């Protein structure tokens, strides 16, 4: 792409300011900027045209497999799950491409030390949890780690420096997710430097596309013969991955996906709840819930939308292949976006200053025909690290780790 072509393209989408400093750049920087403009997908940044998640549709409750039932059939499910794991049918996908802006930690979130007296980076904590299953199954589980352009090098380096925290590195693969531009409140794309647009990871919804677009990871999925992918967030330090009981229960249920859920702490808790929308499994966000839905009860007298997702899903890979080319909704999310100001200084804002455009993994569930809603004990499996303190924070996660007897 040359300068004239870039100007034409940017004029059409009202983003001419991206070339504001072009003439003062050196040759290398000019090339870099033009090539970034060429490879950037600007189609998502029009807030008015974005394929927003639909607000219409009939919401109904979706029953969960509750702890009591799970405990009764635990051994049976575990055997089914372990059998699938031993036949390398199960892969684990760690979503670690996020920027963790709420935590405000400069490095990848997985490098954050959740320990107090001991050094316990979140990545280590997760690998130790997965090792429990490795020991039980007697084999390693293929682990795919999604990073972004922003944190890939740091993440890979950290795993190497730490000898993969004892995990067999033959079973670990990294892949990088796609990026998308971020804009200010007037819809203008932010610049990060005079020769660079500010790009940020395009949300956790693109994980399967990125996984399959990467030759190495796509062929690993084939070679291992992986039929199920367990996908989970980096920031839940009590996360149980490739949990044989969950895997077994989902396989036995005949569903094409499963979601670990916890009973909501209260009807106003800010987590998405499992339900059905237009007959498909769906995750209703807390801000979408009307007072009427909040008050609705099921046959046993419990709130009908009582089970919140914890970003731990199981998907059948052949079913994901069927939906991968569908048009996923794009969520416009207000965030803190580092940018270059008028004086050419790089600014890291303290509060939100614009929008990012993200695809979310929860929308994949809605594209599928069914989902096993699988209850887990909140106190044992849910300790998210989103903020420095307060709710879902370093402080609350440390408390929960201690309660679970983890040495920190
Ligand atoms: P969050 O929604 O908490 O986003 O991610 P975040 O970027 O990590 O943090 P904030 O909102 O800026 O504070 C939930 C999970 O999805 C992953 C994160 O790494 C985390 O495991 N994620 C999120 C990605 O892998 N890619 C993304 O683009 C966004």
């Amino acid at each position: 792409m040359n300068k004239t072509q870039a100007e034409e393209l940017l004029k059409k989408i009202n983003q001419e300011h991206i070339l504001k400093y072009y003439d003062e750049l050196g040759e290398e920087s000019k090339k870099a900027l033009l090539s970034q403009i060429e490879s950037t997908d600007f189609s998502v940044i029009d807030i008015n045209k974005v394929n927003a998640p639909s607000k219409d549709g009939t919401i109904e409750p979706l029953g969960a497999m509750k702890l009591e039932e799970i405990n009764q059939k635990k051994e049976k499910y575990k055997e089914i799950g372990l059998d699938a794991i031993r036949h390398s049918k199960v892969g684990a996908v760690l979503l670690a491409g996020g920027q963790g802006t709420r935590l405000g930690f400069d490095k990848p979130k997985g490098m954050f030390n959740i320990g107090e007296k001991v050094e316990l980076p979140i990545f280590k904590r997760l690998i130790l949890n997965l090792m429990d299953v490795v020991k039980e199954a007697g084999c390693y589980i293929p682990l795919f780690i999604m990073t972004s352009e922003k944190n890939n090098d740091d993440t890979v380096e950290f795993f190497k420096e730490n000898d993969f925290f004892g995990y067999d590195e033959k079973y670990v693969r990294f892949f990088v997710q796609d990026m998308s531009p971020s804009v200010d409140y007037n819809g203008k794309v932010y610049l990060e430097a005079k020769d660079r647009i500010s790009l940020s990871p395009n949300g956790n919804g693109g994980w399967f596309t990125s996984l399959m677009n990467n030759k190495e990871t796509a062929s690993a999925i084939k070679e291992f013969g992986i039929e199920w992918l367990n996908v989970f967030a980096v920031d839940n330090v009590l996360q149980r991955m490739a949990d044989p009981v969950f895997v077994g229960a989902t396989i036995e249920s005949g569903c094409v996906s499963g979601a670990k859920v916890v009973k909501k702490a209260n009807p106003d808790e800010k987590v998405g709840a499992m339900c059905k929308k237009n007959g498909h499994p769906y995750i209703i966000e807390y801000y979408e819930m009307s007072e009427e839905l909040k008050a609705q009860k099921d046959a046993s007298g419990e709130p009908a939308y009582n089970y919140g997702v914890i970003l731990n899903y199981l998907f059948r890979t052949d079913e994901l292949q069927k939906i991968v080319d569908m048009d996923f909704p794009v969520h416009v999310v207000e965030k803190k976006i580092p940018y270059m100001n008028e004086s050419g200084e790089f600014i890291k804002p303290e509060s939100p200053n614009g929008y990012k455009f993200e695809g979310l993994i929860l929308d994949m569930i809605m594209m599928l025909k069914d989902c096993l809603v699988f209850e887990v004990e909140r106190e044992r499996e849910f300790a998210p690290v989103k903020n420095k303190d307060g709710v879902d924070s370093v402080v609350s996660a440390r408390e929960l780790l201690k309660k679970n007897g983890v040495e920190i």
Side-chain angles (χ1 to χ4, degrees):
M1 174 173 272
N2 59 32
K3 186 186 175 199
T4 317
Q5 289 165 325
E7 276 170 340
E8 277 167 21
L9 169 83
L10 297 177
K11 191 161 188 231
K12 273 193 212 141
I13 54 171
N14 259 327
Q15 303 289 346
E16 293 111 304
H17 66 285
I18 292 175
L19 288 173
K20 183 171 169 188
Y21 304 100
Y22 184 84
D23 291 333
E24 54 182 273
L25 298 175
E27 281 315 304
E28 281 307 305
S29 294
K30 281 183 176 162
K31 263 198 226 155
L33 180 60
L34 292 178
S35 125
Q36 201 194 19
I37 294 171
E38 187 172 19
S39 61
T40 298
D41 176 10
F42 290 104
S43 66
V44 292
I45 62 169
D46 188 338
I47 296 175
N48 302 316
K49 287 197 197 142
V50 117
N51 176 21
S54 157
K55 292 202 167 63
D56 309 323
T58 314
I59 301 287
E60 290 167 281
L62 173 60
M65 181 181 267
K66 298 188 188 167
L67 287 174
E68 201 185 350
E69 182 182 351
I70 295 168
N71 285 332
Q72 276 165 11
K73 299 186 189 152
K74 195 170 173 179
E75 290 311 313
K76 178 181 165 196
Y77 291 152
K78 194 194 268 186
E79 271 320 303
I80 298 172
L82 285 174
D83 187 61
I85 290 168
R86 288 180 185 130
H87 285 92
S88 76
K89 290 184 184 169
V90 183
V93 182
L94 166 56
L95 301 176
Q99 289 180 292
T101 52
R102 281 171 286 175
L103 183 62
F105 178 59
D106 262 352
K107 297 273 174 199
K109 212 188 236 187
M111 287 173 65
F112 185 84
N113 179 24
I114 196 67
E116 285 177 330
K117 296 190 192 110
V118 295
E119 191 69 18
L120 186 57
I122 293 180
F123 281 137
K124 178 174 180 184
R125 176 71 207 135
L126 294 179
I127 295 291
L128 292 179
N129 281 352
L130 192 56
M131 283 300 287
D132 289 348
V133 185
V134 169
K135 282 181 200 138
E136 195 167 20
C139 64
Y140 278 90
I141 296 136
L143 171 64
F144 301 90
I145 302 177
M146 183 164 87
T147 60
S148 80
E149 272 169 29
K150 302 246 177 206
N151 68 14
N152 183 64
D153 293 353
D154 281 343
T155 305
V156 174
E157 192 56 30
F158 193 60
F159 270 85
K160 284 188 180 157
E161 265 168 24
N162 287 285
D163 223 358
F164 289 74
F165 307 102
Y167 210 77
D168 186 340
E169 70 174 285
K170 286 201 294 294
Y171 291 85
V172 183
R173 304 277 188 290
F174 296 90
F175 64 104
V176 180
Q177 71 171 101
D178 294 332
M179 307 288 275
S180 68
S182 357
V183 300
D184 65 17
Y185 290 124
N186 298 315
K188 296 286 179 199
V189 168
Y190 271 120
L191 289 180
E192 209 170 63
K194 290 183 176 173
D195 62 351
R196 216 167 48 246
I197 298 168
S198 166
L199 296 178
S200 52
N202 66 347
N204 56 29
W207 70 273
F208 189 66
T209 315
S210 302
L211 180 76
M212 299 316 272
N213 282 345
N214 177 306
K215 279 200 190 111
E216 204 201 339
T217 45
S219 66
I221 300 273
K222 233 176 158 181
E223 278 157 26
F224 282 117
I226 291 171
E227 294 176 9
W228 292 90
L229 285 170
N230 179 209
V231 190
F232 52 90
V234 69
D235 47 25
N236 174 5
V237 291
L238 285 178
Q239 190 83 266
R240 307 300 311 178
M241 295 82 67
D243 171 355
V245 183
F246 177 41
V247 173
T250 309
I251 294 177
E252 180 73 357
S253 73
C255 288
V256 300
S257 68
K260 280 197 170 188
V261 295
V262 292
K263 212 178 252 188
K264 282 180 76 165
N266 58 66
D268 292 317
E269 195 191 1
K270 292 181 175 169
V271 293
M274 282 301 307
C275 64
K276 263 198 212 168
K277 186 173 178 178
N278 300 335
H280 281 260
Y282 181 69
I283 292 147
I284 183 163
E285 288 291 1
Y286 61 95
Y287 50 78
E288 288 178 286
M289 293 266 282
S290 62
E291 289 306 315
E292 197 186 326
L293 287 182
K294 280 187 205 164
Q296 208 172 312
K297 300 272 192 288
D298 69 12
S300 62
E302 261 190 10
Y305 301 94
N306 207 19
Y307 291 93
V309 286
I310 59 170
L311 220 171
N312 187 324
Y313 301 105
L314 189 66
F315 295 101
R316 236 171 68 181
T317 41
D318 57 345
E319 295 292 323
L320 290 176
Q321 294 281 8
K322 291 184 197 161
I323 60 165
V324 70
D325 291 327
M326 287 185 180
D327 240 354
F328 283 91
V330 175
H331 298 251
V332 182
V333 198
E334 203 180 355
K335 291 234 178 177
K336 296 180 222 167
I337 303 156
Y339 69 103
M340 187 190 70
N341 69 11
E342 287 293 317
S343 332
E345 296 154 339
F346 184 66
I347 307 287
K348 279 187 161 183
E350 292 293 318
S351 48
N353 59 333
Y355 301 111
K356 286 185 183 176
F357 300 87
E358 298 192 339
L360 299 184
I361 188 168
L362 50 83
D363 288 318
M364 289 183 122
I365 293 282
M366 191 177 60
M367 308 271 186
L368 296 169
K369 74 173 188 307
D370 47 30
C371 178
L372 176 74
V373 184
F374 183 90
E375 185 186 7
V376 297
E377 275 177 70
R378 190 184 182 101
E379 298 272 297
R380 290 168 62 101
E381 293 204 24
F382 191 43
V385 180
K386 298 287 183 194
N387 307 298
K388 281 198 190 100
D389 41 41
V391 179
D392 297 344
S393 67
V394 176
V395 179
S396 59
R398 284 185 173 146
E399 279 313 304
L400 283 160
L401 283 171
K402 282 184 215 159
K403 270 193 193 159
N404 279 277
V406 179
E407 195 200 343
I408 62 162

